[in-house]
Amino acid sequence: MPGCCCLLGFPSPPAALRILRRRMASRAFQLRLNPLTGDSEWLVVEEEEDEDHHPTPPPKQLLATTSYLDMLNDSARNRAYRRAIEAAVTDPSSRVLDIGAGTGLLSMMAARALAAVRGEARGGSVSACESYLPMGKLMRRVLRANGMENRVKVFHKRSDELKVGDDLDSPADILVSEILDSELLGEGLIPTLQQAYDMLLAKNPKIVPYRATTYGQLIESTFLWKLHDLHNNEANAADGVWLTPGEMERIVSVKPQQHAMQCDALEDEIRLNPSKFLNLTFGNGQIVIVRPISRYEQHEMDMWVLQLDSAGSIFYSTAPRWARQSSSEGLQRDMKDWCDHWKQCVWFMQGKGIPATEDQVLSLRARHNQTSISYQLNINDEACDRSSKGDHLTLLPERIALYGDKDWRSALINTIKNALTVKSSPTCVVADDSLFLALLISSMSPTSKVIAMYPGLRDKGAAYLRSVADANNFSIDQIQVIGKRASSITADDLKHKKVNLLVGEPFYLGSEGMLPWQNLRFWNVRTLLDSMLSEDAFIMPCKGILKLCAMSLPDLWRSRSSLKDVEGFDHSVVNETLGACGDLPGDQQDNRYWKQGVQLFSKPVEVNPGKSVIHVEASFDPSTED
């Protein structure tokens, strides 16, 4: 097997919801991507109250696809934060600030701990900062349900908009936060904490969590190799279509970023021998300490552990189960259930990997900026990665794996070959951002005219096609890249010719995480282009088939189950809004789309394989993502 040189990381917690928004007083404007058109749309979220002056629930579709529910079902995480907060709140006059408060769970923990040490005395305060208005509205409902609305002061602001003397009576003594994602830094942990140190906190504050340590190692994995090495995978396919021809093996590669993945399934492929990469200490004002790595074996990798208290007795690990069960120093922590909000991360080294022997010394350097950690592998002081040219394209690992899949390529090649046998000199529209189909049709039919819509790739896609045209035996004059969405295409773009072939993978750059909406967007494009198609136009894909299968997914069910008591606080009020399953009325069960499109029912249904008959009704509303 060709070597896959990649870095597997077990960094941090979850990215709840990353959106662009504008705020005006008690109104928020949220930008979202329409999954059927690819267009950006502004949604207005109002700070409304009912007749009893209680906040109305936020729109369900804004929060049901986030990871908040999974986080709240993570009992090990909840327990660790409760213990750390109780250990930090020892002074009855403590002023606690919670940044990124979410449902207010950590704020309520702090208020309860403060009441325990304060007794009947007065003093101390808890302030909760939550900039995302829909979550802030939900937090107010949770606080009211637990009788905490007068014990936690809520601010619908970014933390850098808070001002001491205006919003806060005085600087905070204790900061609690969970602005962490699967890469650790992706939600702005460093700049947020630094601004809080400078503007919002008293001298020598207590910080929860206190420290985070990332661990890592280089690894070799057959599965990860398929997500990374397109050049060798398509060489094995040997079908004559080259996305990465000859010396241009890196012209299409994996995006150089941390890729969050569930790595429990890699246990049989990886030998665990991690080393520390970064030590991030928050509790004494020092945000980052870099630790050098000097020695590696053939299989190496990367991961992190959260230390929540300054005493070093409360930990939370995001390593996979088999790593936590090992005897590796620093990783054998409190065992926890499977969860999906804080995954492990994989960093793919550029190139096709390197051979390594047991005693060989490799140099792997970790770098970070304000929001991310990156890695560079050096061999004999020579860096493995090289600067990229303008024609270089970076894609997500799943698309790289699909482009290198022999069976997938063969299916498309045979389908297009059959279509071209009855179409002479066709006008073909590639209706998405497909690299493979544009190359395939151009090389198989020298007399065809290929119009690549490339609504996401645009000029980058055109530069790429020019670079690989000769290696795929076609003239670049055959292809016209228009860089438009279907709603903007006119007959002039097609030179008033009817389209004989309309094809797509479907693949739309920037919408990869919207499965199964990629396929539905192609259906929408085909509808918009209907008047430009010939009567006998060949369309691929021509239909979509929805297949259902009854499955038992206990881990996924558990992570999405409805909430009741969370460390002593009632969270049942969030269930409908967050899309929980289990013990809910039938009209409140939610639809959660994953790679295969999973719907979790409100209650499990027992089936007898081969004997049970289940009646299923499906409905479709193209105006929503739910």
Side-chain angles (χ1 to χ4, degrees):
M1 182 196 75
C4 169
C5 193
C6 54
L7 185 71
L8 179 58
F10 314 112
S12 68
L17 183 63
R18 290 177 182 154
I19 52 172
L20 177 63
R21 59 185 181 273
R22 296 177 181 172
R23 289 187 47 81
M24 292 177 58
S26 58
R27 174 180 295 177
F29 298 88
Q30 176 176 312
L31 186 66
R32 78 166 185 177
L33 189 69
N34 185 310
L36 291 185
T37 66
D39 296 330
S40 297
E41 301 174 340
W42 286 104
L43 299 180
V44 180
V45 183
E46 300 279 2
E47 174 78 72
E48 297 176 341
E49 296 181 343
D50 59 23
E51 28 182 64
D52 294 325
H53 303 291
H54 295 147
T56 58
K60 179 179 177 181
Q61 67 269 24
L62 296 181
L63 294 173
T65 55
T66 66
S67 59
Y68 286 113
L69 186 64
D70 187 275
M71 292 171 61
L72 291 166
N73 270 305
D74 186 348
S75 58
R77 165 255 191 195
N78 300 335
R79 183 169 55 251
Y81 264 92
R82 174 185 57 77
R83 291 176 57 205
I85 289 172
E86 290 174 351
V89 179
T90 57
D91 186 340
S93 63
S94 295
R95 294 151 299 183
V96 183
L97 173 62
D98 180 4
I99 293 180
T103 63
L105 176 61
L106 305 188
S107 296
M108 291 189 294
M109 289 178 177
R112 183 174 61 188
L114 191 60
V117 299
R118 187 174 56 197
E120 298 298 324
R122 304 187 65 178
S125 64
V126 178
S127 299
C129 177
E130 175 54 59
S131 65
Y132 185 41
L133 183 56
M135 180 49 69
K137 288 161 64 74
L138 189 60
M139 174 170 51
R140 288 184 182 275
R141 300 184 72 210
V142 174
L143 293 175
R144 189 177 77 251
N146 288 276
M148 288 276 187
E149 64 267 41
N150 296 322
R151 297 169 62 182
V152 176
K153 188 174 183 180
V154 178
F155 297 98
H156 294 316
K157 292 183 176 182
R158 290 166 50 99
S159 59
D160 58 6
E161 296 174 332
L162 291 177
K163 295 186 182 300
V164 175
D166 186 1
D167 304 303
L168 305 179
D169 293 334
S170 57
D173 309 297
I174 301 173
L175 173 66
V176 298
S177 68
E178 199 183 43
I179 41 178
L180 308 163
D181 69 349
S182 290
E183 191 183 348
L184 187 64
L185 305 181
E187 295 204 350
L189 175 67
I190 290 178
T192 299
L193 292 186
Q194 193 59 65
Q195 191 274 337
Y197 271 118
D198 294 342
M199 306 300 296
L200 303 175
L201 302 182
K203 187 176 181 180
N204 299 321
K206 296 179 181 179
I207 308 295
V208 178
Y210 179 81
R211 175 182 292 129
T213 303
T214 63
Y215 293 78
Q217 70 178 65
L218 290 169
I219 60 172
E220 183 179 41
S221 163
T222 302
F223 172 74
L224 294 177
W225 171 65
K226 293 178 180 178
L227 300 177
H228 167 57
D229 191 355
L230 176 57
H231 183 73
N232 280 300
N233 278 311
E234 67 175 357
N236 292 339
D239 51 29
V241 181
W242 285 99
L243 296 169
T244 58
E247 298 299 321
M248 292 183 284
E249 63 181 52
R250 288 186 51 212
I251 195 170
V252 179
S253 64
V254 177
K255 285 187 176 182
Q257 65 182 41
Q258 300 274 9
H259 296 278
M261 298 182 184
Q262 291 284 5
C263 295
D264 281 338
L266 299 179
E267 178 179 3
D268 294 336
E269 288 196 87
I270 297 172
R271 183 179 66 196
L272 186 66
N273 184 27
S275 301
K276 292 182 181 180
F277 275 113
L278 298 176
N279 226 340
L280 294 90
T281 302
F282 318 125
N284 58 9
Q286 296 293 320
I287 301 298
V288 178
I289 302 174
V290 180
R291 292 179 176 268
I293 305 299
S294 58
R295 178 181 175 275
Y296 287 99
E297 298 178 358
Q298 183 176 359
H299 305 291
E300 306 286 339
M301 126 179 153
D302 156 87
M303 53 196 91
W304 69 257
V305 171
L306 205 62
Q307 177 186 326
L308 286 96
D309 65 328
S310 59
S313 62
I314 306 171
F315 293 88
Y316 180 96
S317 172
T318 62
R321 287 174 175 172
W322 49 269
R324 294 193 301 273
Q325 292 168 348
S326 75
S327 58
S328 298
E329 183 271 329
L331 295 179
Q332 193 171 5
R333 301 301 185 189
D334 190 15
M335 295 305 296
K336 61 186 180 69
D337 292 330
W338 180 92
C339 61
D340 198 44
H341 61 96
W342 289 340
K343 303 181 182 71
Q344 298 78 51
C345 282
V346 175
W347 176 279
F348 294 94
M349 298 298 174
Q350 297 299 315
K352 58 185 179 182
I354 61 166
T357 60
E358 183 173 354
D359 296 323
Q360 184 176 356
V361 176
L362 304 177
S363 173
L364 182 63
R365 298 180 180 178
R367 301 175 178 175
H368 74 89
N369 56 25
Q370 295 282 292
T371 57
S372 66
I373 302 172
S374 61
Y375 301 91
Q376 183 181 69
L377 178 64
N378 291 51
I379 308 172
N380 298 326
D381 296 326
E382 181 180 356
C384 282
D385 51 348
R386 301 284 188 269
S387 58
S388 302
K389 297 181 180 179
D391 56 3
H392 178 248
L393 298 178
T394 58
L395 304 175
L396 293 181
E398 294 81 3
R399 185 59 45 179
I400 294 291
L402 190 65
Y403 278 158
D405 185 88
K406 184 176 181 178
D407 294 335
W408 180 83
R409 293 166 67 106
S410 177
L412 264 63
I413 289 172
N414 291 333
T415 301
I416 296 299
K417 183 182 297 184
N418 292 335
L420 291 176
T421 58
V422 295
K423 304 288 182 182
S424 60
S425 304
T427 297
C428 172
V429 170
V430 177
D432 58 357
D433 287 304
S434 173
L435 303 178
F436 188 80
L437 288 174
L439 295 183
L440 175 62
I441 297 172
S442 300
S443 59
M444 292 183 68
S445 177
T447 59
S448 65
K449 179 61 178 179
V450 178
I451 299 171
M453 289 174 56
Y454 281 10
L457 289 173
R458 302 196 177 193
D459 291 342
K460 282 190 172 182
Y464 166 80
L465 293 174
R466 285 193 296 269
S467 296
V468 301
D470 289 343
N472 284 277
N473 301 312
F474 67 85
S475 170
I476 191 60
D477 294 335
Q478 286 181 249
I479 300 183
Q480 176 189 358
V481 176
I482 57 178
K484 291 183 177 181
R485 296 191 179 100
S487 58
S488 302
I489 290 180
T490 65
D492 291 338
D493 294 314
L494 306 180
K495 295 182 170 52
H496 297 276
K497 291 184 178 180
K498 289 292 185 178
V499 176
N500 309 113
L501 273 75
L502 179 67
V503 299
E505 297 180 11
F507 163 53
Y508 296 94
L509 189 71
S511 301
E512 296 94 325
M514 289 188 172
L515 296 177
W517 296 101
Q518 295 258 15
N519 305 318
L520 296 177
R521 181 171 171 181
F522 180 84
W523 161 75
N524 185 61
V525 170
R526 182 253 179 273
T527 302
L528 292 173
L529 297 181
D530 186 70
S531 63
M532 304 178 193
L533 303 178
S534 64
E535 293 184 359
D536 61 344
F538 173 83
I539 300 173
M540 184 194 78
C542 61
K543 67 172 66 173
I545 301 174
L546 177 64
K547 295 185 177 181
L548 304 178
C549 177
M551 301 182 69
S552 175
L553 302 171
D555 285 336
L556 184 60
W557 175 278
R558 189 184 303 111
S559 73
R560 300 291 183 259
S561 62
S562 58
L563 299 167
K564 295 178 181 178
D565 179 281
V566 180
E567 292 299 319
F569 298 104
D570 180 12
H571 271 67
S572 58
V573 70
V574 310
N575 286 327
E576 181 180 1
T577 302
L578 297 185
C581 66
D583 300 321
L584 290 177
D587 60 351
Q588 292 183 14
Q589 57 182 290
D590 191 41
N591 193 354
R592 302 288 307 236
Y593 287 113
W594 297 83
K595 292 292 185 182
Q596 285 73 42
V598 176
Q599 171 153 339
L600 299 176
F601 296 111
S602 58
K603 293 184 178 180
V605 178
E606 184 175 351
V607 297
N608 189 339
K611 297 182 180 180
S612 297
V613 177
I614 302 176
H615 177 68
V616 178
E617 294 183 358
S619 61
F620 169 60
D621 181 358
S623 65
T624 70
E625 294 183 36
D626 295 331

